[in-house]
Amino acid sequence: MRRRHLPLKLWVWLFPALLTAPALVAQDAPTYQTPPKALADLVTVPPTPTISVSDKGDVMLIMEQAGAPDIAELAQPELKLAGLRLNPANNGPSRMRYITGLKLKKVSGAKEEQALTGLPAKPLISYIQWSPDYSKIAFAHSTDEHIELYVADVATGKAQRVGTAYLNATLGTPYHWLSDSKGLIARIVPTGRGAAPEVSRVPVGPTTQENVGGKRGQAPTYQDLLKSPSDEKQFAFYTTAQVVRMGLDGQTTNIGPAGIIASADPSPDGKYVMIETVHTPFSYLVPVSRFPLRTDVFAVGGSLVKLLNDGPLQESVPYSADGAPTGPRNYNWRADAPASVYYTEAQDKGDPKVKADIRDKVFMVDAPFSGQPKEIYAAQYRFGGFDWGNATMALASERWWQSRKSLVKTVDPTNWQTAVLFDRSYEDRYSNPGQPDTRHNQYGYEVLNLLPNNEILMLNGQGSSPDGDRPFVSLLNLKTKKTTELWRSQAPFFERPVAVLDAAKRSILVTRETPDESPNYYVTNLLTKGKKAAAPMQVTFFPHPYPQLKGIQKQQLRYKRADGVELTATLYLPAGYKKEQGPLPTFLWAYPAEFKSKDAASQVSGSPYQFNRISYWGAAAFVTMGYAILDNASIPIVGEGDKEPNDTYVQQLVSSAKAAIDEGVRLGAVDSSRVGVGGHSYGAFMTANLLTHSKLFKAGIARSGAYNRTLTPFGFQNEQRTYWQAPDVYNTMSPFQNADKVKTPILLVHGEADNNTGTFPIQSERYYNALKSFGVSTRLVLLPYESHGYTAKESLLHMLSEMNGWLDKYVKNPTTTATKTGGQPAKMGGGN
């Protein structure tokens, strides 16, 4: 083929232009940007440690958290298979957030902390577990090539690696303690596994799916599914593990054959291991959690005792919060018995649309598992599980999403008789009785911490009330149902019960905070009649994570929208701001929620006494840039009775946002002519809809949203109807279908590797193209390697820079040019 040459004169004419032409980039140089220091500091500040307390109440484990990783870590090899994201180099999950340091501390109040010795130089720790007798702590340590098992002695504080085998954590927690605290059941990489199968770029044929017989089935828009026979081979190779009994000396005994082990749980008495194994046929439509699953019981010595069930592929589970698989499901050990297995089976084919007086039945079979399983419980709604206690007391829970029903019953395991304890709506936060205090029994299994006379302490982590969140502890008699409140958080502090140290002595561990004092842990004694409570004793002394931001003002707002529904929001104002300075440019951040009653939607949430935790993730960070922030503004979407919330989604959405702005204006803090709105995920969807259907805002910021609901046709968020059942709802709520109505500038941010159901990056890409076609000022930012939640330091800094630049241009300093339809935004980014 002859090469055609341009005439010399034309080359001479073009050459100067080529020398002076700008680089051919999408819009600007693709480099990571850094926001102003006040914002950047929120990303780089070390996270506050977390803690775990032994059941004895004497020792606390302090876990130091890793900060945001570098983008280079996210750029490491990653496999996306069957709904999983795997690190092929070390046989574990990718994108882990690790613990980087472990310290022991007595709960006596002494300030001394003992750092564990024997740790690797730069530890990457995960899957931390106390031994049943609380004398040891096991944890996994990840390297570039392997995941290793370590055990630390609590008395000496010394840690050491156990054995030479490598853990396989591709399908979750890779080990569990045996009840004697002398060994563990672990999933390890099989010895002599060989090399990974090669990924062939040459197909052997087409990829096909079929629905023989026309069986009906719906599936959400899952991500990271298998797509080819090559994917299947990769999935099987990396998830295959060998279950072993591992002694603390590192010696191992194989239990059963190697396979795709979904779980391996020892019986409470340590004599058996229940192993669940995934097998073919695999699916290209649903993730691994719906693949065929075989459930076996093995003796801890390695021999098969009983095949309990071999469940089929579940591709047609009704897409509903009340839907369930057909056949036996959720096999578990009874926590307070030596070796008894119970499981659940749907009586309505797992379909909430089928009328049934009993939705689920629960069956149990005891060791040696040769007898016929006996029915122990019949659930009117979908069975949620047991909280086991002792031989005569347990709690059973049921739930039905469609009516928001929550049912808790006491159960007597001697005869399986039941009595209703709580019958309530779970969206009614004011009536939440709290969570029962639990402890680990002699087997290391969690059970109810029952006191004499069948009493139990109930801890409430939120404590919602008309006065705001006020966590409490109460004493509940499970027989008489009488409740006595023992303690409640009081102003000017916000305190939250964390653990019961001694139930008999009413000694508990709480966190205490104020708007300017970060949370720390205290030991307190509950008030008892006729006795004066001792002052709380401080146990930890974690510093303020960002002292430079002290003085930020916070106020809990309560107001009503036009239909009378009461709403709440948190108003943040810059340090030193005075009303005399006039109203401020404002940034509203929210996430809509569906309710079945206006009363539940109107309940107060939040507390003015909580610490001003100014995170880089939401809107509060921008109070440092001189904005008034309407944070967590409640956006309830209510559908009472037979009405569906989304039938009036747009009207309720706009009315809620307007009410929040109006309240800020009434207080003199919000400039109604300079308000921006933002949200993440379903909050991004909300943002796009507010810009579509209202003129309340100068600009919007939408992160990782879904904008075309025809791409999620079998339901989304809490919408249970399909597109074909409610096409008008889907079309009205889809910003993409209404792109021609948008006139307001919008910034779209999305992770290129989004793994959330429904929020594929194409949602933002196509929405951007639609808006651009109508001349809307818009900008699309795709963050490399990021999934639904962004984690890399560079990504977070760049996200803040983009948001700050957008708000500064279109909200704080709006101009005719900046907001003119069709105008192009200037290069985004703040200071370095």
Side-chain angles (χ1 to χ4, degrees):
M1 177 177 171
R2 295 181 60 187
R3 179 176 297 174
R4 299 184 64 183
H5 296 276
L6 290 173
L8 179 60
K9 290 183 180 180
L10 187 55
W11 275 115
V12 173
W13 179 79
L14 283 174
F15 188 68
L18 292 172
L19 288 177
T20 59
L24 296 178
V25 294
Q27 288 196 22
D28 49 41
T31 57
Y32 287 108
Q33 302 295 308
T34 301
K37 187 176 185 301
L39 292 173
D41 286 348
L42 301 178
V43 175
T44 57
V45 65
T48 300
T50 58
I51 66 106
S52 175
V53 182
S54 77
D55 266 16
K56 297 178 181 180
D58 58 341
V59 178
M60 167 188 297
L61 179 67
I62 298 175
M63 296 168 281
E64 297 173 336
Q65 304 178 76
D70 294 334
I71 192 67
E73 291 188 37
L74 268 64
Q76 295 301 307
E78 179 182 62
L79 295 178
K80 303 172 184 178
L81 302 168
L84 305 173
R85 294 199 167 179
L86 311 179
N87 182 342
N90 69 1
N91 297 283
S94 57
R95 302 170 183 272
M96 286 283 286
R97 294 299 294 267
Y98 293 102
I99 300 298
T100 55
L102 296 173
K103 296 179 180 178
L104 292 169
K105 187 182 187 305
K106 293 187 180 297
V107 187
S108 61
K111 293 186 177 182
E112 290 76 19
E113 299 172 353
Q114 179 186 9
L116 292 188
T117 60
L119 298 180
K122 294 182 179 180
L124 298 175
I125 296 168
S126 57
Y127 305 114
I128 300 171
Q129 294 183 27
W130 292 88
S131 64
D133 64 3
Y134 287 89
S135 67
K136 304 175 187 68
I137 298 169
F139 57 89
H141 170 247
S142 296
T143 72
D144 290 341
E145 295 85 19
H146 307 291
I147 302 177
E148 306 163 341
L149 178 64
Y150 275 72
V151 171
D153 183 82
V154 174
T156 64
K158 183 178 180 179
Q160 61 182 11
R161 186 181 170 194
V162 177
T164 58
Y166 300 119
L167 299 174
N168 187 320
T170 53
L171 289 174
T173 304
Y175 63 87
H176 294 285
W177 280 99
L178 287 165
S179 57
D180 61 5
S181 299
K182 296 180 180 178
L184 309 98
I185 300 298
R187 287 180 282 175
I188 65 172
V189 176
T191 303
R193 180 177 62 171
E198 292 186 6
V199 179
S200 174
R201 296 185 59 84
V202 180
V204 296
T207 298
T208 62
Q209 299 184 55
E210 65 179 9
N211 186 30
V212 177
K215 185 177 180 180
R216 292 191 176 190
Q218 305 171 4
T221 47
Y222 293 116
Q223 308 224 39
D224 301 338
L225 300 178
L226 298 177
K227 298 180 178 66
S228 67
S230 179
D231 280 357
E232 293 188 48
K233 293 177 182 179
Q234 295 281 317
F235 166 73
F237 177 83
Y238 286 105
T239 56
T240 294
Q242 174 65 57
V243 178
V244 298
R245 183 193 188 282
M246 181 179 293
L248 297 182
D249 59 0
Q251 296 299 308
T252 61
T253 301
N254 288 354
I255 301 176
I260 303 174
I261 309 299
S263 64
D265 299 318
S267 61
D269 64 4
K271 295 181 179 179
Y272 304 94
V273 181
M274 182 162 55
I275 298 178
E276 294 191 307
T277 308
V278 172
H279 61 82
T280 56
F282 300 149
S283 172
Y284 294 4
L285 189 64
V286 294
V288 61
S289 58
R290 300 282 185 87
F291 287 7
L293 190 67
R294 175 185 171 115
T295 305
D296 296 293
V297 173
F298 287 83
V300 74
S303 60
L304 176 65
V305 176
K306 179 71 174 180
L307 165 64
L308 295 177
N309 185 54
D310 195 353
L313 175 66
Q314 297 282 354
E315 283 190 337
S316 301
V317 177
Y319 183 38
S320 166
D322 297 321
T326 56
R329 70 179 194 273
N330 296 347
Y331 281 80
N332 288 286
W333 293 108
R334 176 177 167 178
D336 65 327
S340 298
V341 173
Y342 69 98
Y343 62 92
T344 307
E345 189 164 0
Q347 305 299 298
D348 57 1
K349 301 180 181 179
D351 188 348
K353 295 179 181 178
V354 173
K355 292 184 178 180
D357 294 330
I358 299 298
R359 295 285 178 180
D360 281 336
K361 286 186 177 181
V362 184
F363 301 86
M364 189 168 72
V365 60
D366 302 321
F369 317 106
S370 56
Q372 187 70 20
K374 59 182 178 182
E375 180 184 329
I376 62 172
Y377 189 84
Q380 180 181 355
Y381 305 106
R382 199 61 74 203
F383 180 65
F386 283 117
D387 287 313
W388 297 101
N390 56 26
T392 61
M393 181 59 69
L395 298 179
S397 63
E398 304 176 29
R399 178 174 282 207
W400 197 247
W401 180 88
Q402 192 63 36
S403 61
R404 310 304 197 268
K405 173 71 73 172
S406 174
L407 195 63
V408 177
K409 296 181 180 180
T410 59
V411 180
D412 184 347
T414 61
N415 53 26
W416 304 108
Q417 294 297 305
T418 66
V420 175
L421 182 63
F422 301 119
D423 184 351
R424 52 183 291 272
S425 167
Y426 65 76
E427 70 179 13
D428 177 11
R429 299 189 299 274
Y430 290 176
S431 68
N432 189 340
Q435 295 298 314
D437 177 40
T438 60
R439 62 178 175 83
H440 289 86
N441 60 14
Q442 70 272 28
Y443 304 127
Y445 272 70
E446 195 170 5
V447 296
L448 299 172
N449 191 6
L450 293 168
L451 303 174
N453 303 318
N454 283 303
E455 291 184 323
I456 191 167
L457 291 176
M458 304 292 289
L459 286 71
N460 194 297
Q462 188 173 17
S464 297
S465 76
D467 297 324
D469 291 348
R470 296 180 59 203
F472 62 85
V473 178
S474 61
L475 185 65
L476 171 65
N477 188 301
L478 296 174
K479 290 293 187 181
T480 67
K481 303 180 186 179
K482 180 182 178 181
T483 299
T484 303
E485 185 175 295
L486 302 177
W487 173 91
R488 185 179 284 268
S489 178
Q490 301 287 342
F493 303 107
F494 180 82
E495 296 177 294
R496 181 173 55 86
V498 175
V500 176
L501 302 178
D502 190 321
K505 296 180 180 179
R506 307 290 194 262
S507 177
I508 64 173
L509 187 71
V510 303
T511 59
R512 170 183 280 194
E513 60 192 273
T514 70
D516 277 331
E517 295 176 9
S518 58
N520 269 292
Y521 293 85
Y522 291 74
V523 174
T524 189
N525 288 94
L526 308 181
L527 292 173
T528 54
K529 190 174 181 179
K531 294 183 180 180
K532 184 177 180 180
M537 178 181 65
Q538 187 169 354
V539 180
T540 64
F541 299 85
F542 301 138
H544 195 297
Y546 22 77
Q548 72 276 18
L549 301 185
K550 283 187 175 182
I552 298 296
Q553 302 174 54
K554 181 172 71 172
Q555 181 180 351
Q556 289 296 119
L557 306 185
R558 303 182 191 181
Y559 49 96
K560 292 184 179 181
R561 71 183 187 192
D563 61 359
V565 174
E566 296 184 3
L567 307 176
T568 61
T570 301
L571 174 65
Y572 289 96
L573 296 171
Y577 170 78
K578 295 181 180 179
K579 187 176 181 180
E580 295 75 34
Q581 296 174 232
L584 297 172
T586 302
F587 189 23
L588 183 150
W589 190 268
Y591 190 96
E594 292 86 355
F595 293 88
K596 290 301 293 180
S597 76
K598 290 183 178 180
D599 288 343
S602 295
Q603 291 183 349
V604 177
S605 63
S607 168
Y609 306 112
Q610 285 182 277
F611 176 58
N612 289 335
R613 188 172 297 282
I614 310 298
S615 169
Y616 55 73
W617 190 242
F622 293 91
V623 72
T624 63
M625 297 290 100
Y627 293 89
I629 305 298
L630 290 168
D631 199 27
N632 292 323
S634 53
I635 309 282
I637 310 298
V638 184
E640 294 188 305
D642 295 332
K643 295 180 180 179
E644 292 292 337
N646 285 340
D647 288 346
T648 53
Y649 170 86
V650 169
Q651 299 94 310
Q652 296 188 67
L653 182 73
V654 174
S655 180
S656 297
K658 183 177 185 302
I661 295 171
D662 288 347
E663 178 64 10
V665 171
R666 187 187 70 81
L667 295 172
V670 170
D671 180 350
S672 62
S673 67
R674 294 188 295 164
V675 181
V677 61
H680 188 89
S681 194
Y682 204 55
F685 175 69
M686 167 208 75
T687 297
N689 268 305
L690 283 171
L691 300 191
T692 302
H693 299 288
S694 79
K695 297 181 180 179
L696 297 171
F697 302 99
K698 280 292 185 181
I701 298 175
R703 298 193 326 226
S704 298
Y707 309 105
N708 183 350
R709 286 305 173 191
T710 67
L711 297 179
T712 56
F714 298 114
F716 57 90
Q717 199 70 3
N718 290 316
E719 175 58 62
Q720 302 299 295
R721 297 168 294 183
T722 68
Y723 172 76
W724 298 274
Q725 292 171 326
D728 290 343
V729 171
Y730 277 68
N731 290 326
T732 300
M733 292 179 66
S734 291
F736 179 85
Q737 275 84 331
N738 296 279
D740 58 322
K741 299 176 183 178
V742 179
K743 307 298 180 186
T744 309
I746 182 170
L747 170 66
L748 302 172
V749 183
H750 217 118
E752 282 188 344
D754 195 316
N755 61 339
N756 186 55
T757 301
T759 55
F760 291 85
I762 195 174
Q763 289 274 5
S764 288
E765 293 169 341
R766 291 294 179 262
Y767 189 42
Y768 169 79
N769 288 340
L771 293 172
K772 185 174 183 292
S773 75
F774 289 107
V776 180
S777 292
T778 184
R779 179 177 174 86
L780 173 62
V781 179
L782 295 174
L783 299 174
Y785 300 114
E786 294 292 357
S787 57
H788 195 59
Y790 322 143
T791 57
K793 178 176 60 179
E794 292 88 344
S795 300
L796 296 172
L797 292 171
H798 189 87
M799 174 194 77
L800 290 174
S801 179
E802 293 278 357
M803 293 174 68
N804 185 57
W806 198 260
L807 291 171
D808 186 68
K809 184 176 183 64
Y810 292 110
V811 177
K812 183 183 288 185
N813 303 298
T815 65
T816 303
T817 302
T819 56
K820 182 180 178 180
T821 302
Q824 292 298 320
K827 178 179 177 180
M828 290 297 104
N832 291 309

